[in-house]
């Protein structure tokens, strides 16, 4: 493998699927069980806050029943042992990268274990339910919402991500369908900047043709194999 100094990794729901967290677009997935407009938009929240708070309370509580899999562990090993720059960007709101040992994870779509106060704008670590309208730990207003990026809202830290994409030599997309922008556009950004682009997924993503290489299979097998290649090669 050619010398690699800067890697950007993007993960999606597929990396957590084998841990037992539902993906969004699979048959029986989250978006078949719930209407996106109801549970993942500011308008849905304004219309029926109880429904939305309950949806995210359930998903947050479910994190206690799952564990990171070999793919999360392999990316944590890469963070520890890779000598170059590594940016791990996830669209996932679960905490399995952190529990797998990754210390630096950029959650571009927010986190289930974070609360965003609509009164003071502060973000706080959050483990409990929100359905009973607990007070914000910073300003005490009962105005918390899940710190999750909904459709129509701006994902977090886009400036930093685009900077890293423009400078990387390898972009790796893992377990994402490529159906949601801006994340779906990262491959084109990295490719235009001259990076090699590798996709690891169960099935080809929507932008699969933009990758230089696509490896199809389960993340728990493909990711450890690829990490071994990077560190061993
Ligand atoms: P999707 O549900 O759209 O796609 C999951 C991808 O993972 C699919 O391409 C599957 O083929 C693949 N996959 C499933 N099991 C896998 C496995 N064991 N190993 C490897 N790959 C596997 O989920 P995302 O692409 O993450 O956003 O969805 C992107 C965004 O859409 C989410 O962050 C969420 C959603 O609406 C917001 O809520 C803002």
């Amino acid at each position: 493998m050619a010398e690699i100094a800067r890697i950007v990794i993007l993960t999606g729901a597929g990396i957590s699927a084998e841990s037992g967290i539902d993906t969004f677009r699979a048959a029986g997935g989250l978006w078949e069980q719930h209407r996106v407009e109801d549970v993942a938009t500011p308008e849905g929240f304004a219309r029926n806050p109880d429904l939305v708070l309950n949806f995210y309370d359930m998903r947050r509580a479910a994190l206690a029943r799952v564990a990171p899999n070999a793919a999360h562990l392999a990316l944590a090993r890469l963070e520890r042992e890779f000598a170059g720059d590594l940016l791990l960007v996830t669209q996932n709101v679960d905490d399995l990268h952190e529990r797998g040992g990754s210390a630096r994870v950029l959650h571009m779509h927010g986190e289930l274990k974070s609360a965003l106060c609509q009164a003071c704008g502060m973000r706080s670590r959050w483990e409990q339910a929100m359905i009973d309208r607990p007070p914000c730990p910073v300003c005490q207003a009962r105005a918390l919402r899940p710190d999750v990026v909904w459709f129509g809202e701006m994902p977090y830290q886009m400036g930093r991500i685009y900077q890293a994409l423009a400078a990387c030599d390898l972009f790796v997309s893992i377990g994402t369908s490529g159906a949601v922008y801006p994340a779906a556009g990262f491959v084109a950004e990295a490719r235009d900047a001259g990076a090699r682009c590798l996709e690891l997924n169960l099935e080809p993503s929507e932008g699969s043709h933009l990758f230089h290489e696509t490896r199809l299979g389960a993340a728990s097998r493909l990711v450890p194999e690829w990490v071994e290649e990077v560190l061993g090669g």
Side-chain angles (χ1 to χ4, degrees):
M1 191 179 291
E3 198 59 33
I4 298 167
R6 293 185 192 84
I7 304 176
V8 176
I9 299 174
L10 172 69
T11 65
I15 197 167
S16 296
E18 290 164 87
S19 293
I21 298 184
D22 283 342
T23 64
F24 295 94
R25 294 175 179 78
L30 274 179
W31 292 159
E32 216 172 82
Q33 302 167 44
H34 306 270
R35 280 159 39 102
V36 177
E37 312 84 281
D38 289 343
V39 297
T41 62
E43 295 77 18
F45 185 52
R47 229 174 10 246
N48 192 344
D50 278 0
L51 175 85
V52 175
L53 292 175
N54 186 53
F55 175 71
Y56 291 96
D57 282 353
M58 293 296 145
R59 290 178 66 196
R60 189 182 310 103
L63 294 180
R65 300 189 287 274
V66 299
N69 65 57
H72 299 101
L73 300 180
L75 293 185
R77 178 185 167 211
L78 186 67
E79 182 188 280
R80 285 192 303 272
E81 298 182 19
F82 179 61
D85 281 350
L86 178 71
L87 181 66
L88 174 55
V89 180
T90 188
Q91 298 167 89
N92 297 344
V93 293
D94 67 52
D95 60 350
L96 293 182
H97 281 305
E98 286 85 352
R99 283 161 60 196
S102 289
R104 300 186 308 270
V105 187
L106 197 159
H107 283 270
M108 64 177 288
H109 288 169
E111 294 174 71
L112 287 169
K113 289 195 177 169
S114 179
L116 174 62
C117 179
Q118 299 174 100
C120 72
M122 294 302 284
R123 305 169 73 189
S124 305
R125 295 305 306 159
W126 199 261
E127 302 270 347
Q128 309 100 287
M130 290 186 190
I131 193 75
D132 293 332
R133 311 300 196 278
C136 167
V138 180
C139 76
Q140 309 307 317
R142 293 184 182 273
L144 296 179
R145 58 163 271 186
D147 188 11
V148 163
V149 175
W150 288 326
F151 286 92
E153 297 180 326
M154 180 63 82
Y156 289 124
Q157 303 213 41
M158 294 308 296
R160 183 161 162 225
I161 297 171
Y162 282 123
Q163 225 170 31
L165 288 168
C168 70
D169 7 84
L170 178 62
F171 171 71
V172 186
S173 170
I174 304 171
T176 176
S177 61
V180 175
Y181 283 84
F186 290 175
V187 58
E189 291 285 329
R191 195 187 160 102
D192 287 351
R196 181 176 163 71
C197 299
L198 168 66
E199 170 174 45
L200 309 177
N201 210 26
L202 201 55
E203 56 202 357
S205 64
E206 290 187 19
S208 199
H209 61 283
L210 293 170
F211 290 86
H212 297 100
E213 184 185 351
T214 292
R215 299 182 190 174
L216 299 181
S220 64
R221 178 175 65 81
L222 294 184
V223 179
E225 278 175 11
W226 169 70
V227 167
E228 187 62 42
E229 253 174 59
V230 173
L231 295 176

